[in-house]
């Protein structure tokens, strides 16, 4: 109830879940939240006050950078919360409290289901903060929780569209460069989509906040570049449409993740990955699934072992 700030540290996909937590904590609970890559946080001489909370997000609970970043936060007086999938892992044991995602063992190296569970856990934490601090009414929180209960069905629905995702992947099997763009909560989804493609397919992929496009990366857009846009409804949906128009006019092949029935978005796209619409802060939990499937499909088309990507270890 009394914390003044939340610092979240993580690596890889867990860092993307952490970025989403920042949107939820600040929007719902009105507490400032900062997110750091664990290997940067631990060496950057951070300023923490004793009323700060440090949150470490780690699927395995064993990533050394995250563990040591949390140790550093505790040394500077912060209380520590672990969000992990592994009960009794090192990070959980050293924390003051642990929030377990309990998604079952993540067998492949690239995180998939555990990422969804991390986002849910962190957003529930944000809602709990909102509740105890009184920044959202019980009624509003009740409505939000109702949408949360509908997510499993929506994800099942997206998973049943595997053939459509495969068709898009087949059409792009020869492409070498992929830009993933999003704004607001679509931005961490773009980062995660690009990471999954790199990890599994070994293709060049970059995730960018679309508003930054004009400050550099747009120079790289040319015919043949694939742009994957997270174009589901969020407060910046309209602005995002203009970003897509910019890459389209430079000849990019555009694939958009769009909400079912959103023909306006579909008109801008060469291919659409359709998903059901939900409360916008939960949208990443649904929107990331077709991108995971897309990376899986492209990796298989390129003949790679999706469970054991090269150079990566758990
Ligand atoms: C990397 C994995 O080594 O660690 C990523 O390749 C993962 O997939 C990252 O996201 C962080 O792992 P953890 O267990 O701390 O979430």
């Amino acid at each position: 109830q009394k914390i003044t700030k939340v610092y979240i540290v993580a690596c890889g996909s867990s860092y993307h879940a952490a970025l989403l937590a920042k949107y939820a904590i600040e929007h719902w609970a009105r507490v400032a939240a900062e997110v750091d890559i664990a290997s940067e946080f631990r060496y950057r001489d951070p300023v923490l006050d004793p009323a700060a909370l440090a949150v470490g997000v780690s699927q395995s609970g064993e990533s050394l950078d995250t563990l040591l970043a949390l140790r550093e936060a505790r040394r500077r007086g912060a209380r520590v919360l672990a969000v992990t999938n592994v009960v009794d892992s090192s990070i959980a044991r050293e924390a003051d409290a642990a929030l377990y995602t309990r998604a079952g063992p993540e067998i492949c190296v690239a995180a998939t289901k555990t990422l969804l569970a991390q986002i849910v856990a962190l957003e529930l934490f944000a809602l709990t903060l909102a509740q105890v601090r009184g920044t959202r009414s019980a009624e509003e929180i009740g409505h939000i929780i109702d949408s949360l209960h509908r997510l499993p069905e929506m994800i099942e629905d997206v998973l049943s569209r595997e053939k459509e995702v495969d068709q898009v992947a087949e059409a792009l099997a020869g492409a070498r460069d992929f830009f993933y763009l999003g704004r607001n909560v679509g931005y961490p989804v773009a980062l995660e989509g690009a990471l999954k493609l790199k990890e599994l397919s070994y293709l060049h992929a970059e995730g960018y906040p679309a508003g930054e496009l004009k400050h550099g990366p747009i120079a790289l857009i040319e015919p043949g570049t694939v742009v994957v846009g997270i174009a589901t409804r969020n407060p910046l949906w309209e602005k995002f449409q203009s970003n897509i128009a910019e890459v389209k006019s430079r000849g990019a092949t555009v694939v958009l993740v769009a909400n079912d029935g959103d023909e306006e978005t579909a008109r801008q796209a060469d291919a659409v990955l359709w998903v059901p619409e939900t409360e916008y802060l939960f949208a990443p939990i649904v929107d990331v699934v077709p991108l995971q499937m897309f990376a899986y499909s492209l990796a298989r088309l390129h003949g790679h072992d999706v469970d054991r990507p090269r150079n990566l270890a758990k």
Side-chain angles (χ1 to χ4, degrees), residues 125-190:
F125 176 67
L127 282 173
T128 308
L129 274 183
Q131 197 169 30
V132 298
R133 297 166 75 94
T135 51
R136 299 284 155 175
S137 69
E139 197 191 351
E140 194 179 346
I141 293 176
H143 286 308
I144 298 171
I145 297 287
D146 286 345
S147 335
L148 188 66
H149 282 297
R150 287 195 289 275
L151 290 179
E153 199 183 308
M154 289 184 178
I155 292 164
E156 287 290 343
D157 182 9
V158 175
L159 288 170
S160 74
R161 305 178 192 193
E162 191 177 355
K163 281 208 172 63
E164 295 157 41
V165 178
D166 285 346
Q167 277 166 8
V168 179
E170 276 157 30
L172 298 172
R176 309 304 306 174
D177 295 297
F178 293 76
F179 276 82
Y180 284 72
L181 302 178
R183 296 191 76 154
N184 193 277
V185 293
Y187 161 50
V189 176

Side-chain angles (χ1 to χ4, degrees), residues 1 6-7 102 137 146 151 155 212 240 244 274 276 288 303:
Q1 202 169 19
V6 183
Y7 290 86
R102 298 182 193 275
S137 69
D146 286 345
L151 290 179
I155 292 164
E212 271 291 291
F240 187 68
I244 292 302
W274 296 105
V288 79

Side-chain angles (χ1 to χ4, degrees), residues 237-247 268:
W237 176 85
E238 222 170 294
K239 288 188 186 298
F240 187 68
Q241 297 291 322
S242 348
N243 299 135
I244 292 302
E246 284 163 20
V247 295
Q268 295 232 66

Side-chain angles (χ1 to χ4, degrees), residues 85-155:
N85 198 43
V86 181
V87 174
D88 220 23
S89 52
S90 304
I91 289 174
R93 277 203 308 271
E94 286 203 16
D96 295 301
L99 191 53
Y100 290 117
T101 46
R102 298 182 193 275
E106 185 74 274
I107 292 165
C108 65
V109 171
T112 48
K113 64 179 179 185
T114 51
L115 171 88
L116 307 193
Q118 283 172 337
I119 306 169
V120 172
L122 288 161
E123 296 203 325
L124 279 174
F125 176 67
L127 282 173
T128 308
L129 274 183
Q131 197 169 30
V132 298
R133 297 166 75 94
T135 51
R136 299 284 155 175
S137 69
E139 197 191 351
E140 194 179 346
I141 293 176
H143 286 308
I144 298 171
I145 297 287
D146 286 345
S147 335
L148 188 66
H149 282 297
R150 287 195 289 275
L151 290 179
E153 199 183 308
M154 289 184 178
I155 292 164

